């Protein structure tokens, strides 16, 4: 997983903890849970796209120094 995907996973987990704490303290909010579900789906999409992306090809330098024909 790349850095941005790891950060998105951490944000999603933190949002789940905060949403659960809000629900326990103040009662359930449908919009809050809906927002968390959307965030979770986006995170899953990022992880899937990150894992299916091909490895970056290495650029090879010129075989010999100097101008190329």
């Amino acid at each position: 997983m790349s850095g941005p995907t790891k950060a998105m996973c951490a944000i999603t987990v933190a949002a789940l903890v905060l949403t659960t704490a809000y629900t326990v303290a103040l009662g359930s909010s449908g919009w809050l849970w809906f927002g968390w579900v959307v965030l979770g789906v986006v995170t899953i999409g990022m992880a899937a796209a990150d894992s299916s992306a091909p490895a970056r090809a290495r650029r090879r330098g010129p075989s010999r120094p100097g101008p190329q024909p």
Side-chain angles (χ1 to χ4, degrees), residues 53-61:
R56 294 183 181 163
R58 292 185 189 175
R59 294 191 67 157
R60 298 183 76 184

Side-chain angles (χ1 to χ4, degrees), residues 17-32:
V17 170
L18 291 174
T19 301
T20 303
Y22 181 91
T23 299
V24 168
L26 301 174
S28 182
S29 170
W31 284 110
L32 197 59

Side-chain angles (χ1 to χ4, degrees), residues 1-68:
M1 259 195 284
S2 65
T5 305
K6 287 181 183 178
M8 189 70 165
C9 287
I11 290 170
T12 303
V13 169
L16 175 62
V17 170
L18 291 174
T19 301
T20 303
Y22 181 91
T23 299
V24 168
L26 301 174
S28 182
S29 170
W31 284 110
L32 197 59
W33 282 104
F34 175 75
W36 184 83
V37 168
V38 170
L39 182 65
V41 169
V42 170
T43 302
I44 291 170
M46 278 183 67
D50 192 36
S51 66
S52 68
R56 294 183 181 163
R58 292 185 189 175
R59 294 191 67 157
R60 298 183 76 184
S63 57
R64 57 190 166 98
Q68 298 297 317

